Amino acid sequence: MTPPAAPRPPAPVLLGDAEVRARLTPATATAAVRHALLEHQAGRLAAPPRVHAGLGGGELVFTVGALADEGAQGVPGVHGFRAYGTADRAGEQLVAVWDSASGRLTAVVHGQELGPRRTGAIGAVAVEALARTGGLAGCRLGLIGTGPQGWAQLWALSASVSHRPAEVAVFGRRRERAERFAARVREELGLAARAVDSARAAVQGREVVIVATNSPTPVLEADWVAPGTHLSTLGPKTTTHYEIPPELAERAAVIATDSPAQAGSYGTDHLLGPTPLTPLGAVLAGTAPGRAGHDDITLFSSVGLAGTEVAVAAALTRA
């Protein structure tokens, strides 16, 4: 008799933007990136700087990561990559995840949603680690920028137990777009958001400030930021294009980043390059100090820790 054929391995899960919106929760995303940051700090997440491949009119960018098997905890090791094109104005990305033990491709996620939500989750973890605690269950948050990255930061923070914003002041270059953005935040996230007339109005008097723009010049002034504020910057941070003023780094007691290796890959072109950058994972692990005093200004430089998108995609497929 002919022996029965070996069962075929299951096909990889294919997910698009609709599935990411429906299935990925802020809690799942933030738990995945927090775990990845801690694993990176412990040496169990391989996360080299991103790789750029020239394509004439643009670049194809790859980030890769590998999370080790956790053994007794039952979480399998995974590895994979994210790819996106710099000339692709649609912002489409592809994330592929493999099971490290079997070498089987387990998931492919494509579209525009996973990347910003992964970055939003990292930002939420940074706020929880570095912003003031005690009485901040209803923090006042200022947001400059009305694009997908700003939205994802609020999406991730909307489920935070310790730092869910009680109110959000939103500023964008186009008032009508800021109004629409604030209305969407109120409707979909349940946060008390309103558009304001100036960047200064979005920054002054806020415990948390998030700057998520493409501006090549500073969109705020350093002296607008009050003592005790936590500020996250997501946009340009090179010596020739930067959305926050260099003077703000001089006022910050702690400057943290999710990936020192990625920040270091800029070399002397990084705006914060000469300043010692604290790994966010080290703050989470308690091996590096975060906020030391109530009036400290803390600054988070978001650059994108490689492997976190793989971690989020893997968690999404397990959810």
Side-chain angles (χ1 to χ4, degrees), residues 12-282:
V13 176
L14 303 178
L15 301 174
D17 283 343
E19 290 82 7
V20 172
R21 286 190 293 265
R23 294 171 55 174
L24 183 62
T25 67
T28 296
T30 54
V33 301
R34 184 182 291 107
H35 175 70
L37 286 159
L38 286 167
E39 290 294 279
H40 185 240
Q41 182 63 25
R44 293 189 293 269
L45 168 64
R50 61 178 62 99
V51 175
H52 298 255
L55 296 175
E59 294 179 315
L60 190 60
V61 183
F62 294 88
T63 62
V64 301
L67 276 161
D69 190 304
E70 293 186 45
Q73 297 188 29
V75 180
V78 294
H79 63 269
F81 71 86
R82 174 182 58 147
Y84 59 94
T86 59
D88 179 12
R89 296 187 179 274
E92 292 264 323
Q93 299 186 3
L94 183 145
V95 178
V97 184
W98 280 264
D99 177 89
S100 296
S102 67
R104 184 174 67 85
L105 179 67
T106 59
V108 175
V109 185
H110 63 91
Q112 299 174 300
E113 291 288 343
L114 185 67
R117 290 175 193 253
R118 179 281 312 235
T119 305
I122 295 173
V125 171
V127 168
E128 291 173 347
L130 296 169
R132 290 189 302 200
T133 57
L136 276 188
C139 73
R140 295 171 297 174
L141 186 147
L143 171 65
I144 302 177
T146 57
Q149 293 291 353
W151 166 263
Q153 297 287 312
L154 298 182
W155 168 80
L157 278 170
S158 68
S160 174
V161 174
S162 60
H163 292 84
R164 175 182 167 88
E167 62 178 70
V168 180
V170 180
F171 175 73
R173 288 180 300 170
R174 300 176 183 174
R175 174 69 188 222
E176 65 278 8
R177 182 169 179 176
E179 294 279 8
R180 291 194 301 270
F181 183 95
R184 183 188 173 200
V185 170
R186 293 193 298 269
E187 179 180 350
E188 296 185 24
L189 302 181
L191 301 178
R194 61 186 176 88
V196 295
D197 293 328
S198 67
R200 187 170 189 163
V203 172
Q204 286 190 321
R206 309 289 162 184
E207 288 94 5
V208 176
V209 174
I210 297 171
V211 188
T213 76
N214 290 319
S215 177
T217 58
V219 296
L220 73 157
E221 295 183 15
D223 60 6
W224 295 352
V225 179
T229 300
H230 168 76
L231 186 144
S232 293
T233 173
L234 282 80
K237 293 177 283 289
T238 69
T239 53
T240 56
H241 295 76
Y242 44 93
E243 66 176 1
I244 63 169
E247 296 80 12
L248 191 56
E250 298 172 5
R251 296 188 60 202
V254 176
I255 303 177
T257 186
D258 46 336
S259 177
Q262 183 59 51
S265 71
Y266 289 89
T268 57
D269 290 333
H270 196 285
L271 179 67
L272 306 175
T275 308
L277 301 180
T278 300
L280 179 58

